[in-house]
């Protein structure tokens, strides 16, 4: 069977993924990725002395803060119970790139998605470097998504296939939505390099969440009833706006003040705010002003530091453009029908899409969408298959 590097986070999904892979006969190596942000507790999860690898951190004799010491300890306990090697990887420098992106996007009045970038740069980026160093064929995670391996016709008619199988087809791996619609995470995987799909494994995507918890219970794993994480892992306080304000610095090293006015779409001043990083397009709660009826963030102006609010109908958008696109499937020429998601938790909506000559993506929705936020990803689907997507402008 195959050697597999599995990202483990101490939750029920990655824990059951470890068991599923080992039960199938694979050689599984569990890893926990530390980001180095200080927390109240310190991680104490390190690899066993008899399975050292030079690319991994050696056993540490000191404490180091991480996103959650309890998560690291939970992951280590699961690895011990399943008798698989386990390592804590210090990716503080790599996480710095994600944190810088997070801060920069909020400062520009955009809404970042660090989970997508973490998948792109770390879980299915740097983690493949570690997999290569230990001669592992695959990288796996506990995401609720699936992979489908099929043979498709060669891209150019009459051209011999590079695979040389003599059938006029090439093996192709597609990313699909997870079986459980309520937990599907294919949206956050759209940015992975297409060439890596063939080396990925997503074992829990074929299950529904209650089934995964039932397996964990049957195995006697302590994480069987552990709640799903709802916070950004490196924002240990849970308050992302405070995190941004504390770490944002100007060219001179001083702090940057992004506080300003809250105005209506008509230009009426209705309040002030401590910083634009506190807001996102479509936000209703926590505006800090009482309007007597529901108002939403319609626009954020980083140049003037104004947060513009309006009624729900003023949020409606029938089209959008996106840049820095990544495609996981071949697309039709010209415009094409699809469904599109504008946020992880938003339902797919019927749309027509077209790749523009400059590489950007244009999407027109059949029905207006509310809360289209610059900085978030728009991801396109053909049924259950992920086509790809880009970052909303």
């Amino acid at each position: 069977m195959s050697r597999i590097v599995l990202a483990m986070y101490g939750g029920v999904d990655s824990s059951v993924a470890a068991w599923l892979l080992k039960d199938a006969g694979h050689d599984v190596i569990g890893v926990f990725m530390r980001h180095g942000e200080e927390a109240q507790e310190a991680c104490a999860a390190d690899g066993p002395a008899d399975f050292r690898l030079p690319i991994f951190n050696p056993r540490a004799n000191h404490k180091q803060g991480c996103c959650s010491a309890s998560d690291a300890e939970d992951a280590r306990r699961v690895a011990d119970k399943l008798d698989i090697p386990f390592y804590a990887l210090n990716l503080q420098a790599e996480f710095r790139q994600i944190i810088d992106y997070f801060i920069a996007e909020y400062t520009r009045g955009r809404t970042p998605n660090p989970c997508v970038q973490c998948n792109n740069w770390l879980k299915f980026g740097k983690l493949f470097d570690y997999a290569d160093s230990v001669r592992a064929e695959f990288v796996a995670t506990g995401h609720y998504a699936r992979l489908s391996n099929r043979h498709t016709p060669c891209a150019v008619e009459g051209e011999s296939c590079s695979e040389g199988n003599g059938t006029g087809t090439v093996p192709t791996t597609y990313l699909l939505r997870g079986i459980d619609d309520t937990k599907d995470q294919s949206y956050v995987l759209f940015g992975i390099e297409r060439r890596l799909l063939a080396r990925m494994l997503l074992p829990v995507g074929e299950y529904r969440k209650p089934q995964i918890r039932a397996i964990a219970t049957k195995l006697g794993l302590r994480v069987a009833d552990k709640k799903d994480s709802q916070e950004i892992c490196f924002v240990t306080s849970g308050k992302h706006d405070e995190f941004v304000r504390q770490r944002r610095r100007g060219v001179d090293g001083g702090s940057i003040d992004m506080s300003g006015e809250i105005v209506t779409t008509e230009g009426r001043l209705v309040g002030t705010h401590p910083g634009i990083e506190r807001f996102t397009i479509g936000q209703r709660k926590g505006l800090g002003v009482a309007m007597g009826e529901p108002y939403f963030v319609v626009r954020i102006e980083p140049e003037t530091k104004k947060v513009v609010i309006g009624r729900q109908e003023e949020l409606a958008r029938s089209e959008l453009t996106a840049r820095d696109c990544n495609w996981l499937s071949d697309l039709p020429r010209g415009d094409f029908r699809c469904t599109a998601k504008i946020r992880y938790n938003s339902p797919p909506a019927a749309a027509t899409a077209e790749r523009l000559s400059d590489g950007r993506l244009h999407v027109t929705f059949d029905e207006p969408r509310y809360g289209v936020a610059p900085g978030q990803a728009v991801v396109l689907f053909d049924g259950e298959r992920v086509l790809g997507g880009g970052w909303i402008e």
Side-chain angles (χ1 to χ4, degrees), residues 58-70:
R59 176 179 290 276
N61 295 317
H62 62 279
K63 294 182 178 181
Q64 177 181 343
C66 72
C67 55
S68 169
S70 61

Side-chain angles (χ1 to χ4, degrees), residues 263-268 295 298-299 308-311 314:
V263 300
T264 66
T265 51
E266 295 85 9
R268 179 164 59 95
Y295 265 66
V298 174
R299 189 170 67 253
V308 182
I309 63 175
R311 296 176 177 84
E314 296 177 277

Side-chain angles (χ1 to χ4, degrees), residues 7-301:
M8 298 182 69
Y9 309 106
V12 65
D13 300 324
S14 59
S15 298
V16 172
W19 179 81
L20 290 170
L21 293 170
K22 183 172 182 182
D23 187 60
H26 296 297
D27 176 14
V28 182
I29 302 170
V31 298
F32 181 90
M33 294 188 291
R34 295 174 173 171
H35 56 54
E37 285 297 302
E38 295 182 358
Q40 291 182 346
E41 298 177 275
C43 292
D46 294 281
D50 62 347
F51 199 73
R52 292 184 182 275
L53 300 170
I55 199 166
F56 290 88
N57 281 352
R59 176 179 290 276
N61 295 317
H62 62 279
K63 294 182 178 181
Q64 177 181 343
C66 72
C67 55
S68 169
S70 61
D71 287 341
E73 184 62 16
D74 284 342
R76 183 191 63 77
R77 288 195 187 99
V78 170
D80 288 347
K81 186 175 182 65
L82 299 180
D83 193 26
I84 63 174
F86 178 75
Y87 293 88
L89 312 184
N90 184 355
L91 297 181
Q92 182 174 6
E94 290 78 3
F95 262 106
R96 183 71 251 176
Q97 181 184 8
I98 293 175
I99 293 172
D100 288 346
Y101 147 81
F102 184 78
I103 294 171
E105 286 288 87
Y106 267 119
T107 302
R108 294 170 58 198
R110 295 164 58 86
T111 304
N113 196 319
C115 294
V116 172
Q117 298 293 25
C118 182
N119 289 324
N120 299 346
W121 297 338
L122 300 186
K123 293 174 187 174
F124 295 105
K126 292 294 183 181
L127 206 52
F128 269 100
D129 296 337
Y130 293 112
D132 291 339
S133 75
V134 297
R135 298 183 298 279
E137 292 93 332
F138 298 97
V139 167
T141 70
H143 284 100
Y144 283 84
R146 294 174 293 148
L147 296 162
S148 173
N149 297 302
R150 309 172 188 172
H151 277 80
T152 58
C154 292
V156 180
E157 185 177 354
E159 183 178 295
S160 61
C161 293
S162 60
E163 301 297 327
N165 57 17
T167 65
T169 63
V170 292
T172 303
T173 303
Y174 293 115
L175 177 66
L176 307 179
R177 291 171 57 87
I179 292 293
D180 190 339
D181 287 337
T182 66
K183 298 298 296 182
D184 172 53
Q185 295 173 301
S186 58
Y187 171 92
V188 300
L189 301 178
F190 91 91
I192 295 168
E193 292 185 54
R194 185 175 180 177
R195 65 180 179 85
L196 298 177
L197 292 179
R199 292 186 61 195
M200 288 169 46
L201 293 174
L202 303 169
V204 305
E206 300 288 347
Y207 296 83
R208 299 185 185 280
K209 186 74 173 196
Q211 293 175 294
I212 293 298
R213 291 201 183 277
I215 293 172
T217 299
K218 185 176 180 180
L219 295 173
L221 302 182
R222 292 177 51 177
V223 297
D225 296 320
K226 187 174 180 178
K227 293 182 179 180
D228 294 338
S229 174
Q230 301 294 325
E231 302 297 336
I232 298 169
C233 67
F234 54 80
V235 183
T236 57
S237 68
K239 300 177 180 179
H240 78 271
D241 55 331
E242 292 183 2
F243 180 91
V244 171
R245 284 196 292 272
Q246 290 170 359
R247 288 161 176 77
R248 182 174 51 210
R249 293 289 182 268
V251 292
D252 59 353
S255 61
I256 301 176
D257 180 14
M258 297 299 292
S259 62
E261 299 176 339
I262 300 176
V263 300
T264 66
T265 51
E266 295 85 9
R268 179 164 59 95
L269 176 63
V270 294
T272 60
H273 63 81
I276 61 173
E277 61 278 350
R278 184 177 178 179
F279 304 92
T280 183
I281 303 300
Q283 180 178 332
R284 175 184 173 184
K285 297 182 179 179
L287 300 184
V289 294
M291 301 297 294
E293 60 179 303
Y295 265 66
F296 302 80
V297 176
V298 174
R299 189 170 67 253
I300 300 172
E301 300 177 352

Side-chain angles (χ1 to χ4, degrees), residues 352-365:
T352 299
E354 181 182 10
R355 293 178 68 181
L356 303 178
S357 58
D358 59 3
R360 293 184 303 155
L361 170 68
H362 182 261
V363 179
T364 303
F365 297 100

